[in-house]
Amino acid sequence: MLLHPSSHNPSALHEETCDLLVLGAGAAGLMAAIMASQRGRRVLVLDHADRSGKKILISGGGRCNFTNLNCTAEHFLSANPHFARSALARYTPHDFIALVEKHRIPYHEKTLGQLFCDRSARDIVAMLEAECHAVGVRILLHQHITEVRHSEGFVVHTPNTNYRAKTLVVATGGLSIPKMGATDLAYRIAAQFGLVIEPCRPALVPLTWQTQDSAHYADLTGLSTEVIASQGRTRFREKLLFTHRGLSGPAILQISSYWQPGGSITIDLAPDQDCTAPLRAQAGGRDAAKFRAALRDVLPHRLADRWAVLHSPSAWTNAALLETEDRLHQWQVIPAGSEGYAKAEVTAGGISTAELSAQTMESRRVSGLYFIGEAVDVTGHLGGYNFQWAWASGAAAGRAV
Ligand SMILES: Cc1cc2nc3c(=O)[nH]c(=O)nc-3n(C[C@H](O)[C@H](O)[C@H](O)COP(=O)(O)OP(=O)(O)OC[C@H]3O[C@@H](n4cnc5c(N)ncnc54)[C@H](O)[C@@H]3O)c2cc1C
């Protein structure tokens, strides 16, 4: 099947043959390439970008949150929540930390088991490139892939060269941040071979206001507070950030992965606090000023003032104060939408795990064809889990090919 019909060149000038072709020089692709090459395979990595690991470079605010010490399958979304277990168990955060320490890269734990580089995400890309170099992985950049064919092995066409290999690992990632070179190549190759794809959606993404909420809250831009954001039974206690367009911050990014368009999210703006308890304990003398002061004792002042204006109790009775208290802990927001793939840290959904071996990531339908990383329907929480999935799924494929 032609992936870019207009640019197909049947008479490519060159032919190259190797044991393993990896499409995508990102986190998962480089890990798979290193592992396979360590086992003596001749590996070629093709990428259309002008350098490898571009998303790693921008990750974690430039410091790359490269893993999480508490990595378990519970931190991932997938149509099959058990699928990730095997790969995660066989390549753990400690395996990646050992690699980081071998390269003497300084790092620290920021919060909740999240490990970041002290200096820069460039250290992680340099480490992966050095590992590739040491074991003879060749990385070819600026490769415009026009077609993938399969007869005896795989042939990947580019305008100048046909690359042949018995085994093909597809590691071209998801749809998030098209400006960084994200494309749907993995899904198109999967579709070409008849693999089922779970519907994709932006995840770990800021959510946007409806018009009325925008009028009420958009000028709180920049304000941040600790909340519990929930959706059904899933809850995240982290910071929320008011933005010009809606809500962001870790708590919202986390819950966005569970949010479905049209649905609501619930926000507890004052976890473990009872703001109106002092007022309810008073026999009388309750008024708007005292209500606002009680909120200010718990919430950031600008938010307290706005909440007092919008949600003053209907009467100064204990029952009405309790109702107001409840609203503060169960603020129902129905977002208009999300900021989409342009701002999403990852893509949820993707190549169905039912199509792949959980041990090796090989397609059950097409022998020799592997999918790894973000392209697969395994999506991590915020906090280094997505990279750990990229390393672990890459290692699973690299050990098997
Ligand atoms: C702003 C931002 C910050 C993030 N921070 C973190 C973090 O701190 N911690 C964490 O765990 N996760 C983080 N993530 C998520 C993480 O970057 C991804 O989950 C991870 O990079 C996925 O790895 P991958 O190898 O599957 O895909 P990618 O890293 O996206 O690599 C895919 C590769 O395929 C190439 N490619 C794509 N299409 C084509 C094509 N048509 N032809 C040829 N090559 C192609 C791309 O150029 C790229 O090199 C962040 C994401 C973003 C956007």
Side-chain angles (χ1 to χ4, degrees):
M1 180 190 277
L2 282 179
L3 298 164
H4 290 280
S6 59
S7 47
H8 176 51
N9 179 359
S11 53
L13 298 174
H14 302 104
E15 293 269 337
E16 280 220 36
T17 303
C18 57
D19 298 324
L20 167 65
L21 275 170
V22 178
L23 306 186
L30 293 177
M31 179 57 80
I34 292 162
M35 289 280 191
S37 202
Q38 282 171 350
R39 295 174 46 247
R41 307 290 180 270
R42 284 173 309 140
V43 184
L44 210 53
V45 184
L46 308 180
D47 199 299
H48 67 167
D50 55 2
R51 63 161 308 167
S52 46
K54 275 180 121 172
K55 249 190 209 169
I56 301 173
L57 292 175
I58 60 158
S59 68
R63 293 245 163 103
C64 187
N65 177 193
F66 53 81
T67 192
N68 193 302
L69 294 172
N70 309 317
C71 191
T72 59
E74 285 66 42
H75 291 282
F76 295 85
L77 290 82
S78 171
N80 176 358
H82 301 295
F83 178 82
R85 281 181 201 280
S86 168
L88 292 173
R90 285 181 303 122
Y91 192 89
T92 68
H94 295 285
D95 291 317
F96 195 77
I97 293 165
L99 194 57
V100 167
E101 289 181 349
K102 176 180 143 194
H103 286 258
R104 299 179 188 280
I105 296 172
Y107 66 91
H108 60 280
E109 180 179 350
K110 202 167 168 189
T111 174
L112 305 168
Q114 301 170 4
L115 301 189
F116 284 77
C117 296
D118 287 354
R119 292 186 303 228
S120 159
R122 283 196 298 272
D123 284 347
I124 299 293
V125 177
M127 174 189 87
L128 294 168
E129 287 175 342
E131 287 286 318
C132 283
H133 185 73
V135 289
V137 171
R138 284 173 64 209
I139 303 173
L140 302 181
L141 301 170
H142 303 286
Q143 298 297 310
H144 182 61
I145 295 160
T146 53
E147 188 181 1
V148 173
R149 288 190 181 205
H150 179 224
S151 50
E152 278 169 36
F154 296 86
V155 189
V156 173
H157 293 238
T158 67
N160 295 322
T161 308
N162 291 339
Y163 298 97
R164 295 177 185 278
K166 276 224 168 89
T167 311
L168 180 67
V169 173
V170 182
T172 51
L175 300 168
S176 18
I177 325 273
K179 258 196 334 205
M180 297 292 304
T183 71
D184 62 355
L185 182 64
Y187 311 122
R188 281 186 285 139
I189 295 173
Q192 169 186 343
F193 288 100
L195 274 64
V196 172
I197 298 165
E198 297 290 341
C200 293
R201 62 180 196 283
L204 299 181
V205 65
L207 300 172
T208 56
W209 296 125
Q210 304 260 11
T211 315
Q212 197 186 15
D213 285 337
S214 175
H216 288 158
Y217 303 109
D219 65 336
L220 296 181
T221 299
L223 191 149
S224 163
T225 186
E226 188 179 280
V227 302
I228 296 174
S230 55
Q231 155 82 196
R233 283 207 219 136
T234 309
R235 305 151 45 92
F236 294 96
R237 184 171 182 151
E238 291 191 57
K239 291 264 182 185
L240 167 149
L241 175 71
F242 285 84
T243 74
H244 206 61
R245 291 166 54 84
L247 290 171
S248 187
I252 295 300
L253 299 183
Q254 298 279 34
I255 210 66
S256 74
S257 300
Y258 293 83
W259 175 74
Q260 297 290 343
S264 66
I265 55 168
T266 304
I267 299 169
D268 180 348
L269 284 169
D272 302 332
Q273 307 269 8
D274 188 343
C275 301
T276 57
L279 276 186
R280 296 199 312 275
Q282 284 176 17
R286 301 150 170 184
D287 59 20
K290 292 216 172 89
F291 176 61
R292 197 178 67 147
L295 291 179
R296 276 182 159 226
D297 282 345
V298 172
L299 300 177
H301 288 185
R302 280 198 298 150
L303 176 58
D305 295 352
R306 182 58 47 85
W307 198 264
V309 170
L310 293 171
H311 303 288
S312 259
S314 49
W316 298 109
T317 62
N318 274 0
L321 281 168
L322 270 177
E323 206 176 287
T324 314
E325 184 72 36
D326 281 351
R327 190 168 312 141
L328 192 64
H329 297 287
Q330 290 179 48
W331 182 28
Q332 300 287 317
V333 178
I334 302 182
S338 80
E339 294 209 22
Y341 289 115
K343 291 280 166 67
E345 240 179 57
V346 282
T347 303
I351 290 132
S352 169
T353 55
E355 298 284 357
L356 306 176
S357 151
Q359 279 73 44
T360 65
M361 305 295 136
E362 187 175 16
S363 160
R364 294 184 187 283
R365 289 173 200 253
V366 187
S367 135
L369 178 63
Y370 295 70
F371 290 88
I372 55 174
E374 195 178 320
V376 177
D377 173 34
V378 174
T379 306
H381 288 170
L382 193 74
Y385 299 102
N386 283 298
F387 277 133
Q388 188 57 37
W389 169 246
W391 316 132
S393 59
R399 282 166 172 158
V401 294

